[in-house]
Coordinates of all heavy atoms in Angstrom, one line a residue:
E15 N 0.8 -1.2 0.0 CA 0.0 0.0 0.0 C 0.9 1.3 0.0 O 0.5 2.2 -0.7 CB -0.9 0.0 1.2 CG -2.1 -1.0 1.1 CD -2.8 -1.2 2.4 OE1 -2.3 -0.8 3.5 OE2 -3.9 -1.7 2.4
L16 N 2.0 1.2 0.7 CA 2.9 2.4 0.7 C 3.5 2.6 -0.6 O 3.5 3.7 -1.1 CB 4.0 2.1 1.8 CG 4.9 3.3 2.0 CD1 4.1 4.5 2.6 CD2 6.0 2.9 3.0
R17 N 3.9 1.5 -1.3 CA 4.5 1.6 -2.6 C 3.5 2.1 -3.6 O 3.8 2.9 -4.5 CB 5.0 0.2 -3.1 CG 5.5 0.1 -4.5 CD 6.7 1.1 -4.7 NE 7.1 1.0 -6.1 CZ 6.5 1.8 -7.1 NH1 5.5 2.6 -6.8 NH2 7.0 1.7 -8.3
A18 N 2.2 1.8 -3.5 CA 1.2 2.2 -4.4 C 0.9 3.7 -4.2 O 0.3 4.3 -5.1 CB -0.1 1.4 -4.1
S19 N 1.4 4.3 -3.2 CA 1.1 5.8 -3.0 C 2.1 6.6 -3.7 O 2.0 7.8 -3.8 CB 1.2 6.1 -1.5 OG 2.5 6.0 -1.0
Y20 N 3.1 6.0 -4.4 CA 4.1 6.7 -5.2 C 3.9 6.5 -6.7 O 3.4 5.5 -7.1 CB 5.5 6.3 -4.8 CG 5.8 6.4 -3.3 CD1 6.2 5.3 -2.5 CD2 5.6 7.6 -2.6 CE1 6.4 5.4 -1.2 CE2 5.8 7.8 -1.3 CZ 6.2 6.6 -0.5 OH 6.4 6.8 0.8
P21 N 4.3 7.5 -7.5 CA 4.1 7.4 -8.9 C 4.9 6.2 -9.5 O 6.0 5.9 -9.0 CB 4.6 8.8 -9.4 CG 5.5 9.3 -8.4 CD 5.0 8.8 -7.1
D22 N 4.4 5.6 -10.5 CA 5.1 4.5 -11.1 C 6.0 5.0 -12.3 O 5.5 5.6 -13.2 CB 4.1 3.5 -11.7 CG 3.7 2.5 -10.7 OD1 4.6 2.1 -9.9 OD2 2.5 2.0 -10.7
Y23 N 7.3 4.8 -12.2 CA 8.2 5.1 -13.2 C 9.0 3.8 -13.6 O 9.2 2.9 -12.7 CB 9.2 6.2 -12.8 CG 8.6 7.5 -12.7 CD1 8.4 8.1 -11.5 CD2 8.3 8.3 -13.9 CE1 7.9 9.4 -11.4 CE2 7.7 9.6 -13.8 CZ 7.5 10.1 -12.5 OH 7.0 11.4 -12.4
F24 N 9.4 3.7 -14.8 CA 10.2 2.6 -15.3 C 11.5 3.1 -16.0 O 11.4 4.0 -16.7 CB 9.4 1.7 -16.3 CG 8.1 1.2 -15.7 CD1 6.9 1.9 -15.6 CD2 8.1 -0.2 -15.2 CE1 5.8 1.4 -15.0 CE2 7.0 -0.7 -14.7 CZ 5.8 0.1 -14.6
M25 N 12.6 2.4 -15.6 CA 13.9 2.8 -16.1 C 14.4 1.9 -17.2 O 14.2 0.7 -17.2 CB 14.9 2.9 -15.0 CG 14.4 3.9 -13.9 SD 15.8 4.3 -12.7 CE 16.6 5.6 -13.6
G26 N 15.1 2.5 -18.2 CA 15.8 1.7 -19.2 C 17.3 2.0 -19.2 O 17.7 3.2 -18.9
K27 N 18.1 1.1 -19.5 CA 19.5 1.3 -19.5 C 20.1 0.6 -20.8 O 20.0 -0.6 -21.0 CB 20.2 0.7 -18.3 CG 19.8 1.4 -17.0 CD 20.5 0.8 -15.8 CE 20.0 1.5 -14.5 NZ 20.7 0.9 -13.3
K28 N 20.7 1.4 -21.6 CA 21.3 1.0 -22.9 C 22.6 1.6 -23.0 O 23.0 2.5 -22.2 CB 20.4 1.3 -24.1 CG 19.0 0.7 -24.1 CD 18.2 1.1 -25.3 CE 16.8 0.4 -25.2 NZ 16.9 -1.0 -25.6
K29 N 23.4 1.2 -24.0 CA 24.7 1.8 -24.4 C 24.9 1.7 -25.8 O 24.3 0.9 -26.5 CB 25.8 1.1 -23.6 CG 26.0 -0.3 -24.0 CD 27.2 -0.9 -23.1 CE 27.4 -2.4 -23.5 NZ 28.5 -3.0 -22.7
I30 N 25.7 2.6 -26.3 CA 26.1 2.6 -27.7 C 27.6 2.6 -27.8 O 28.3 3.5 -27.2 CB 25.5 3.8 -28.5 CG1 25.9 3.7 -30.0 CG2 25.8 5.1 -27.9 CD1 25.1 4.7 -30.9
E31 N 28.2 1.7 -28.5 CA 29.6 1.6 -28.7 C 30.1 2.4 -29.9 O 29.5 2.3 -30.9 CB 30.1 0.1 -28.8 CG 29.8 -0.7 -27.6 CD 30.3 -2.1 -27.6 OE1 31.2 -2.3 -28.5 OE2 29.9 -2.9 -26.9
L32 N 31.1 3.2 -29.7 CA 31.6 4.1 -30.8 C 33.0 3.7 -31.1 O 33.7 3.1 -30.3 CB 31.6 5.5 -30.3 CG 30.2 6.0 -29.7 CD1 30.4 7.4 -29.1 CD2 29.2 6.1 -30.8
T33 N 33.5 4.1 -32.3 CA 34.9 3.9 -32.6 C 35.8 4.8 -31.8 O 35.4 5.9 -31.5 CB 35.1 4.1 -34.1 OG1 34.7 5.4 -34.5 CG2 34.3 3.1 -34.9
P34 N 37.0 4.4 -31.5 CA 37.9 5.2 -30.6 C 38.2 6.6 -31.2 O 38.5 7.5 -30.4 CB 39.2 4.3 -30.5 CG 38.7 2.9 -30.8 CD 37.6 3.1 -31.8
D35 N 38.1 6.8 -32.5 CA 38.4 8.1 -33.0 C 37.3 9.1 -33.0 O 37.5 10.3 -33.3 CB 38.9 7.9 -34.5 CG 37.8 7.3 -35.3 OD1 37.1 6.4 -34.9 OD2 37.6 7.8 -36.5
I36 N 36.2 8.7 -32.5 CA 35.0 9.6 -32.5 C 35.1 10.5 -31.2 O 35.5 10.1 -30.1 CB 33.7 8.8 -32.4 CG1 33.4 8.2 -33.8 CG2 32.5 9.7 -32.0 CD1 32.2 7.4 -34.0
D37 N 34.8 11.8 -31.4 CA 34.8 12.8 -30.4 C 33.5 12.6 -29.5 O 32.4 13.2 -29.9 CB 34.9 14.2 -31.0 CG 34.8 15.3 -29.9 OD1 34.9 15.0 -28.7 OD2 34.8 16.5 -30.3
V38 N 33.5 11.9 -28.4 CA 32.3 11.6 -27.6 C 31.8 12.9 -27.0 O 30.6 13.1 -27.0 CB 32.6 10.6 -26.5 CG1 31.4 10.4 -25.7 CG2 33.1 9.3 -27.1
D39 N 32.7 13.8 -26.5 CA 32.2 15.0 -26.0 C 31.5 15.9 -27.0 O 30.5 16.6 -26.7 CB 33.4 15.8 -25.4 CG 34.0 15.2 -24.1 OD1 33.1 14.7 -23.3 OD2 35.2 15.1 -23.9
G40 N 32.0 15.9 -28.2 CA 31.4 16.6 -29.3 C 30.0 16.1 -29.6 O 29.1 16.9 -29.8
I41 N 29.8 14.8 -29.6 CA 28.5 14.2 -29.8 C 27.5 14.6 -28.7 O 26.4 15.0 -29.0 CB 28.6 12.7 -29.9 CG1 29.3 12.3 -31.3 CG2 27.2 12.0 -29.8 CD1 29.4 10.8 -31.5
L42 N 28.0 14.6 -27.5 CA 27.1 15.0 -26.4 C 26.7 16.4 -26.5 O 25.5 16.8 -26.2 CB 27.8 14.7 -25.0 CG 28.0 13.2 -24.7 CD1 28.7 13.1 -23.4 CD2 26.7 12.5 -24.6
T43 N 27.6 17.3 -26.9 CA 27.3 18.7 -27.1 C 26.2 18.9 -28.2 O 25.3 19.7 -28.1 CB 28.6 19.5 -27.5 OG1 29.5 19.4 -26.4 CG2 28.2 21.0 -27.7
K44 N 26.4 18.1 -29.3 CA 25.4 18.2 -30.4 C 24.0 17.7 -29.9 O 23.0 18.3 -30.3 CB 25.9 17.4 -31.6 CG 27.1 18.0 -32.3 CD 27.6 17.0 -33.4 CE 28.8 17.6 -34.1 NZ 29.3 16.7 -35.2
M45 N 24.0 16.6 -29.1 CA 22.8 16.1 -28.6 C 22.1 17.2 -27.7 O 20.9 17.4 -27.8 CB 23.0 14.9 -27.8 CG 23.3 13.6 -28.6 SD 22.0 13.1 -29.7 CE 20.8 12.5 -28.5
K46 N 22.9 17.9 -26.9 CA 22.3 19.0 -26.0 C 21.7 20.0 -26.9 O 20.6 20.5 -26.6 CB 23.4 19.6 -25.2 CG 23.0 20.8 -24.4 CD 24.2 21.4 -23.6 CE 25.3 22.0 -24.4 NZ 24.9 23.3 -24.9
D47 N 22.3 20.4 -28.0 CA 21.9 21.5 -28.9 C 20.6 21.1 -29.6 O 19.9 22.0 -30.1 CB 23.0 21.9 -29.8 CG 24.2 22.5 -29.2 OD1 24.0 23.0 -28.0 OD2 25.3 22.5 -29.8
L48 N 20.3 19.8 -29.7 CA 19.1 19.4 -30.4 C 17.8 19.7 -29.6 O 16.7 19.7 -30.1 CB 19.1 17.9 -30.6 CG 20.1 17.4 -31.7 CD1 20.0 15.8 -31.8 CD2 19.7 18.0 -33.1
Y49 N 18.0 20.1 -28.3 CA 16.8 20.3 -27.4 C 16.9 21.6 -26.7 O 16.9 21.7 -25.5 CB 16.7 19.1 -26.4 CG 16.6 17.8 -27.0 CD1 17.7 17.0 -27.2 CD2 15.4 17.3 -27.5 CE1 17.6 15.7 -27.9 CE2 15.3 16.0 -28.1 CZ 16.4 15.3 -28.3 OH 16.3 14.1 -28.9
P50 N 16.9 22.7 -27.5 CA 17.0 24.0 -26.8 C 15.8 24.4 -26.0 O 15.9 25.3 -25.1 CB 17.1 25.0 -28.1 CG 16.4 24.3 -29.2 CD 16.7 22.8 -28.9
N51 N 14.6 23.8 -26.2 CA 13.4 24.2 -25.5 C 13.1 23.3 -24.3 O 12.1 23.5 -23.6 CB 12.2 24.2 -26.4 CG 12.4 25.2 -27.6 OD1 12.9 26.3 -27.3 ND2 12.0 24.8 -28.8
D52 N 14.0 22.4 -24.0 CA 13.8 21.4 -22.9 C 14.8 21.7 -21.8 O 15.8 22.4 -22.0 CB 13.9 20.0 -23.4 CG 12.8 19.6 -24.3 OD1 11.7 19.5 -23.9 OD2 13.1 19.4 -25.5
E53 N 14.5 21.2 -20.6 CA 15.4 21.4 -19.4 C 16.6 20.4 -19.6 O 16.5 19.2 -19.6 CB 14.6 21.0 -18.2 CG 15.4 21.3 -16.9 CD 14.6 20.9 -15.6 OE1 13.4 20.9 -15.7 OE2 15.3 20.6 -14.6
V54 N 17.8 21.0 -19.7 CA 19.0 20.2 -20.0 C 20.0 20.5 -18.9 O 20.3 21.7 -18.6 CB 19.6 20.6 -21.4 CG1 20.9 19.8 -21.6 CG2 18.6 20.3 -22.5
S55 N 20.7 19.5 -18.4 CA 21.7 19.6 -17.4 C 23.0 19.0 -18.1 O 23.0 17.9 -18.7 CB 21.4 18.8 -16.1 OG 22.6 18.7 -15.3
T56 N 24.1 19.7 -17.9 CA 25.4 19.2 -18.3 C 26.4 19.0 -17.2 O 27.6 19.0 -17.3 CB 26.0 20.2 -19.4 OG1 26.2 21.5 -18.7 CG2 25.2 20.3 -20.6
V57 N 25.8 18.8 -16.0 CA 26.6 18.5 -14.8 C 27.4 17.3 -14.9 O 28.6 17.2 -14.5 CB 25.7 18.5 -13.5 CG1 26.5 17.9 -12.3 CG2 25.1 19.8 -13.2
D58 N 26.8 16.3 -15.6 CA 27.5 14.9 -15.7 C 27.0 14.3 -17.0 O 25.9 13.7 -17.1 CB 27.1 14.1 -14.5 CG 27.8 12.7 -14.5 OD1 28.6 12.5 -15.4 OD2 27.4 11.9 -13.7
G59 N 27.7 14.6 -18.1 CA 27.2 14.2 -19.4 C 26.1 15.1 -19.8 O 26.2 16.3 -19.6
V60 N 25.0 14.6 -20.4 CA 23.9 15.4 -20.8 C 22.6 14.7 -20.3 O 22.4 13.6 -20.6 CB 23.8 15.6 -22.3 CG1 22.5 16.3 -22.7 CG2 25.0 16.4 -22.8
K61 N 21.8 15.4 -19.5 CA 20.5 14.9 -19.1 C 19.4 15.9 -19.6 O 19.5 17.1 -19.4 CB 20.4 14.8 -17.6 CG 19.0 14.3 -17.2 CD 18.8 14.0 -15.7 CE 17.5 13.4 -15.4 NZ 17.3 13.1 -14.0

């Protein structure tokens, strides 16, 4: 009953392997720029 009083969320965990020569930081920056109207955090990667 206590658990039912909280909202239900479900989590997913995936990963994508990249070639060593790819600029991972650059890709994360581009991903951030795709969502200018959403709440974005760059404290640790991009959320």
